[in-house]
Amino acid sequence: MRDMDEVARRLKWGLLGLGIALVLMLLVGVLEWKPLPSQEGVEEESTEEVRARVVRAAQAAKASRAKAVPPEEAPPAATVVAPRPGDVPPEPEVENPPPQQNDEIQPELPQTARWRLEKTTHITTLLGRDVERLEREREQAEARGDDARVRQLDTMLQRNRGRLVSLREEIRTLTEAAEQEARDAR
């Protein structure tokens, strides 16, 4: 019975997502739709008139480019640098190159209680700095009268302060574990 409830819940959310996607696609289609001009108000141009207009526009563009950059001042098409002594030309690419030898991966340090304590302390320090920065940003947003940004920053501050509380509790337990580990090592 519980599985049927889970399947029904997933099916409901999947259909809801599909419906939202279809509505968005329909909205995009409607927003990008442009009606065709009516044939009554539009006079047909002959193909010769269209070609003549295109040729005139191309000639005008060519003339403006020629005036903008004189040929003697035009930059070269590509910069070629002569090889200097000691330069090594690149090797040509091979179809199936041999596998590349990677550097050895250094073994990971043991994750002792002392190691976890130092990492957690570092993370707590960084998060504390982030909270201070967010508090300053909140004060600036409040001074500007940006209520939306103030609400956003309040939410981020609340989350970060909650995380700080849990990290400080974790530091306390890790401190005890590190002390116990040091006593056991003696």
Side-chain angles (χ1 to χ4, degrees):
M1 186 67 181
R2 191 174 193 175
D3 292 333
M4 292 298 291
D5 291 339
E6 179 69 21
V7 169
R9 187 178 62 80
R10 287 183 184 219
L11 182 62
K12 177 179 75 171
W13 285 108
L15 289 175
L16 179 65
L18 182 61
I20 290 172
L22 288 173
V23 168
L24 287 174
M25 287 173 43
L26 181 65
L27 282 174
V28 167
V30 168
L31 292 175
E32 290 184 0
W33 178 73
K34 295 177 184 158
L36 295 174
S38 64
Q39 295 297 325
E40 299 166 308
V42 178
E43 296 180 19
E44 280 194 37
E45 296 182 64
S46 68
T47 54
E48 290 105 23
E49 291 173 356
V50 173
R51 283 187 190 141
R53 228 178 338 130
V54 169
V55 168
R56 283 193 302 271
Q59 289 172 345
K62 189 175 180 181
S64 67
R65 277 188 300 220
K67 291 176 186 174
V69 180
E72 59 272 355
E73 294 179 18
T79 305
V80 178
V81 178
R84 290 181 278 169
D87 285 350
V88 179
E91 295 179 14
E93 290 191 23
V94 183
E95 227 175 273
N96 293 318
Q100 180 181 357
Q101 294 298 321
N102 294 326
D103 296 334
E104 285 190 32
I105 298 174
Q106 296 295 322
E108 188 173 332
L109 296 174
Q111 296 183 3
T112 62
R114 182 75 188 157
W115 179 87
R116 287 194 303 272
L117 175 64
E118 289 173 4
K119 288 289 187 181
T120 307
T121 304
H122 181 68
I123 291 170
T124 305
T125 304
L126 295 177
L127 192 59
R129 289 181 197 163
D130 198 34
V131 166
E132 291 172 4
R133 179 187 56 82
L134 290 173
E135 287 171 346
R136 284 191 304 270
E137 281 186 33
R138 186 191 179 285
E139 290 171 2
Q140 291 171 352
E142 200 169 44
R144 286 191 315 263
D146 189 354
D147 294 333
R149 182 67 178 158
V150 168
R151 285 192 306 274
Q152 184 183 29
L153 289 168
D154 281 339
T155 303
M156 290 192 315
L157 279 167
Q158 182 181 3
R159 289 177 185 163
N160 285 353
R161 286 178 180 145
R163 180 74 177 129
L164 270 176
V165 168
S166 65
L167 283 172
R168 288 181 180 136
E169 290 173 9
E170 191 175 336
I171 285 174
R172 278 193 288 274
T173 59
L174 286 173
T175 303
E176 294 170 5
E179 290 171 356
Q180 181 64 35
E181 198 175 81
R183 282 191 294 264
D184 291 345
R186 289 184 206 165

